[in-house]
Amino acid sequence: MTTCKTRVLALSATGLMLVLAACGKADSAQTPTDLDVTSASAGQYSLVWKQDGSEKVHVFAAADPSNPAAEGKEVATVEGTSTEVAGLDPLSRWYFEVQNEDGNSSIASTRHVALQGAANVRDIGGYATEAGQSVKWGLVFRGDRLNDLTADDQQVIDNAGIRTVVDFRGDSEIAKDGPDKVPANVKVLNTPVLDPGTQALATAITSALKSGDPAIVEQVLGGGEAVRISETGAVDQLSKPDGMAGYSQTLRTIADSESAVAYHCTAGKDRTGLMTALLLGILGVPDKTIVDDFVLSNTYNKAKNEQTYTYLSSKGINVDLLKPLMEQRPSQIQPVLDKIQDQFGGWEKFSQDVLKLDADTIAKLRSKLLTEDN
């Protein structure tokens, strides 16, 4: 029986679901859809999907997302719409394919890459484009600082096939927190990009703690200044050649790399968020998806942020003044997308005129990172 696998992926409202829906002939058994994969602990997963009727499905798992049914192993056979999978290698990133008897299937994984020493590392694959393609899994990762990675974390990085890491932190940030702690076979490219929000936040907190005067935070960030910085920081970077050069070089690195690339800043939200917005925009991902990915950092940074708020509150600092610079909102990234369209003439002209990317590099990015399905 002839089938097709038009794979369109989507991000759930929680940011934890990655869906790859396939299609088949009209008279085929219903394709499993809305596959939702969650992980309570490393190596253990819960899968839930939708399907008319109770046809038997086969569940496959693989560390390679391209074709788990062919390249992976069968981990369950189910007559229903859910299953539990356990006992998988906890240091590998797993992709699941739920396939019916006709060969039609859905593929999904969790977006988040769970690490002990970094909170906000995630795969940017799986997002659908306006043209009906999708961003390939396992080729580009975004994250926060990697200087606290454990030995197990480094094995996860190695197993994910990441061989190049781009670090957007400046010298002072690296001096404070330490250099990336990655496997020996990973090349680290230090590509400093200055971010006004990060600088203002660090200045306010450091000054207040050193002086013992929490009122300094009010002086630096009060009166709406924190909100102003947070909502103009990213869009202002579009007109700063040095910053754009750093993002442009990263895009070239991704285009030219033969293996997976990760890029990061300190918290993985501002510079990394803008870098991701630029890449997804060039690939044709719609604005809403770009915005949703940008604010998803709030989910993974929440625990660290709460610890920071608790500590600084104990020092008498009004943490409400810090939140605009520590948490993400659509109003921080939407102006970037609007300006690229309205003032720079769209993604093609922006890529060539501002990022200085030639047509071959743009074509390489799209060829490398986008599926051929449409």
Side-chain angles (χ1 to χ4, degrees), residues 336-355:
V336 170
L337 308 178
D338 293 341
K339 187 170 184 177
I340 288 172
Q341 293 297 333
D342 299 339
Q343 296 186 34
F344 290 106
W347 285 105
E348 295 294 332
K349 282 188 61 60
F350 176 82
S351 298
Q352 295 179 24
D353 297 346
V354 179
L355 292 172

Side-chain angles (χ1 to χ4, degrees), residues 8-21 32-39 45-50 81 93-96 106-113 122-128 137 289 292-293 296 299-300:
V8 179
L9 293 91
L11 175 67
S12 73
T14 64
L16 297 178
M17 180 179 71
L18 304 170
V19 178
L20 189 54
T33 62
D34 295 342
L35 176 58
D36 183 0
V37 181
T38 57
S39 177
Y45 299 86
S46 297
L47 284 68
V48 179
W49 60 92
K50 292 181 180 178
T81 57
R93 178 162 171 75
W94 292 97
Y95 301 86
F96 298 91
S106 293
I107 295 177
S109 179
T110 58
R111 181 167 296 285
H112 188 227
V113 180
R122 50 196 208 256
D123 191 330
I124 71 162
Y127 288 127
W137 292 97
T289 303
D292 287 346
D293 179 82
L296 188 56
T299 298
Y300 301 115

Side-chain angles (χ1 to χ4, degrees), residues 28 76 138 142-143 159 318 336:
S28 299
R142 54 171 294 173
N159 289 345
N318 179 3
V336 170

Side-chain angles (χ1 to χ4, degrees), residues 11 15 93 110-115 119-125 127 140-144 261-263 267-269 272-273 276 290-301:
L11 175 67
R93 178 162 171 75
T110 58
R111 181 167 296 285
H112 188 227
V113 180
L115 300 170
N120 194 18
V121 176
R122 50 196 208 256
D123 191 330
I124 71 162
Y127 288 127
V140 181
F141 297 82
R142 54 171 294 173
D144 50 339
V261 175
Y263 52 82
K269 61 185 184 65
T272 297
T276 306
I290 294 173
V291 172
D292 287 346
D293 179 82
F294 183 81
V295 300
L296 188 56
S297 287
N298 293 334
T299 298
Y300 301 115
N301 283 334

Side-chain angles (χ1 to χ4, degrees), residues 250-258 360-362 364-365 368:
T250 305
L251 290 165
R252 291 189 183 92
T253 297
I254 293 169
D256 294 337
S257 177
E258 296 181 356
D360 286 345
T361 299
I362 297 171
K364 284 168 65 176
L365 279 169
K368 176 180 179 178

Side-chain angles (χ1 to χ4, degrees), residues 139-286:
L139 292 178
V140 181
F141 297 82
R142 54 171 294 173
D144 50 339
R145 57 188 176 89
L146 304 178
N147 54 283
D148 286 331
L149 296 189
T150 66
D152 281 352
D153 291 340
Q154 293 183 54
Q155 188 62 57
V156 172
I157 296 295
D158 185 47
N159 289 345
I162 297 170
R163 297 295 178 263
T164 303
V165 168
V166 180
D167 187 350
F168 293 138
R169 296 178 299 162
D171 291 343
S172 62
E173 294 172 278
I174 295 175
K176 174 179 176 292
D177 294 322
D180 287 340
K181 190 182 295 183
V182 295
N185 61 355
V186 175
K187 181 179 181 180
V188 177
L189 302 178
N190 293 115
T191 309
V193 177
L194 298 180
D195 171 65
T198 300
Q199 291 177 297
L201 185 65
T203 298
I205 293 175
T206 301
S207 298
L209 292 178
K210 281 186 175 181
S211 67
D213 182 7
I216 290 178
V217 175
E218 176 72 38
Q219 296 168 14
V220 176
L221 301 178
E225 182 65 8
V227 173
R228 186 197 67 77
I229 294 172
S230 72
E231 296 194 347
T232 60
V235 73
D236 285 351
Q237 285 192 60
L238 299 182
S239 303
K240 295 180 178 179
D242 289 347
M244 289 298 102
Y247 297 128
S248 178
Q249 182 56 53
T250 305
L251 290 165
R252 291 189 183 92
T253 297
I254 293 169
D256 294 337
S257 177
E258 296 181 356
S259 53
V261 175
Y263 52 82
H264 73 91
C265 52
T266 294
K269 61 185 184 65
D270 294 319
R271 288 163 288 184
T272 297
L274 177 55
M275 174 67 221
T276 306
L278 297 178
L279 176 55
L280 294 179
I282 289 170
L283 295 177
V285 172

